Amino acid sequence: MSFEREVETALRLAGEAGTIALDFQRRGISAEEKPDESPVTAADRACEKLIVDGLLAEFPGDGLLGEEGSNRDGANGRRWIIDPIDGTKDFLRGIPIWSILIGLEQDGEVVAGVAHCPGQRATAWATRGGGAWMGSERLKVSNATDPSRAILCFNGLHKAGVGNMASRLLGWASKFWAVRGLGGSMDAMLVAQGRADVWIEPNAAPWDLAPLKILVEEAGGTFGSFTGEASIYRGNAYACAPGLEPFVRTLLG
């Protein structure tokens, strides 16, 4: 299946949600704190509603899983996984690296995904077997094999999940040519473009990962949880150029 209609719909809705979010940002916005102490804004909720309403209008039999509470069983083995604003802290502080993430899962496998970063005017998408794209450019991960010539993106030294690797993290990271941290979705997009080479995400939910997984994989990269499964449901993730996976595994165990 090409999932052309699904991707076109997700691209349109991500663009519309980005416009709404930017408008909220221009007018000024405050956040509430969720039980997990992460922030949520009226923009998050408005964007999720727009995306959910649009998806159900086009694909009424599909299920839903959204960060801000959208949860609906489907009738056909398909489920849309939505993060209306990935990087709400960046959104609140005006740091232009937050994104809108929409992934499609079929029978437990992510088969399509869109990542849209309005602040960078960057949108990437992928379908299973159809490649990963940004505009007319087909994305491809780097051929890096040596960390001393590679760029590491590490999202969140303060996050749960770092403690188990803390004693070896600094020495491991010091082997890289450069270390960056751009909030997860931008990190993964850079890996898919071949501009960065490794992304480490110590703590993440399925909606943080679904479209990023297929973007990296369809660009020829490796995606997995810290325990090695290619899953978005293990609470953490890494992505990398295949030639660097052995080095990544020395950190993760």
Side-chain angles (χ1 to χ4, degrees), residues 86-87 90 97 154-156 159 181-187 199 201:
D86 179 64
D90 297 313
I97 55 174
F154 195 104
N155 185 31
K159 287 188 172 185
L182 298 175
S185 53
M186 284 300 301
D187 297 327
W199 166 46
E201 180 61 68

Side-chain angles (χ1 to χ4, degrees), residues 57 143 191:
N143 59 4
V191 170

Side-chain angles (χ1 to χ4, degrees), residues 86 89 154-165 183-184 187 199-205 208-209 235:
D86 179 64
K89 292 175 184 176
F154 195 104
N155 185 31
L157 292 173
H158 66 298
K159 287 188 172 185
V162 174
N164 293 336
M165 64 178 76
D187 297 327
W199 166 46
I200 304 290
E201 180 61 68
N203 187 273
D208 299 310
L209 301 174

Side-chain angles (χ1 to χ4, degrees), residues 18-90:
T19 299
I20 288 176
L22 288 170
D23 186 55
F24 270 99
Q25 196 175 54
R26 280 190 291 268
R27 290 186 279 124
I29 192 164
S30 58
E32 304 168 26
E33 196 170 90
K34 294 190 285 190
D36 65 358
E37 299 185 356
S38 63
V40 61
T41 70
D44 292 86
R45 296 189 177 105
C47 289
E48 183 159 306
K49 184 178 187 306
L50 180 144
I51 294 166
V52 165
D53 288 350
L55 291 173
L56 291 182
E58 292 288 337
F59 311 106
D62 291 0
L64 298 165
L65 176 64
E67 181 178 12
E68 307 311 333
S70 300
N71 197 347
R72 178 180 186 267
D73 291 333
N76 54 14
R78 295 180 13 144
R79 179 166 71 165
W80 293 92
I81 303 175
I82 304 154
D83 191 341
I85 298 180
D86 179 64
T88 301
K89 292 175 184 176
D90 297 313

Side-chain angles (χ1 to χ4, degrees), residues 139-215:
L139 304 184
K140 187 178 186 304
V141 300
S142 78
N143 59 4
T145 59
D146 180 358
S148 71
R149 302 303 300 166
I151 293 178
L152 163 68
C153 295
F154 195 104
N155 185 31
L157 292 173
H158 66 298
K159 287 188 172 185
V162 174
N164 293 336
M165 64 178 76
S167 62
R168 55 190 184 276
L169 177 57
L170 184 58
W172 180 84
S174 70
K175 301 292 195 299
F176 282 86
W177 187 44
V179 180
R180 303 286 183 261
L182 298 175
S185 53
M186 284 300 301
D187 297 327
M189 291 165 77
L190 288 172
V191 170
Q193 292 175 79
R195 293 180 173 177
D197 309 289
V198 176
W199 166 46
I200 304 290
E201 180 61 68
N203 187 273
W207 44 77
D208 299 310
L209 301 174
L212 306 180
K213 175 181 189 290
I214 193 167
L215 277 174

Side-chain angles (χ1 to χ4, degrees), residues 107-132:
D107 300 324
E109 178 187 7
V110 181
V111 294
V114 167
H116 173 53
C117 180
Q120 298 298 315
R121 298 181 180 178
T123 306
W125 65 94
T127 59
R128 183 63 64 206

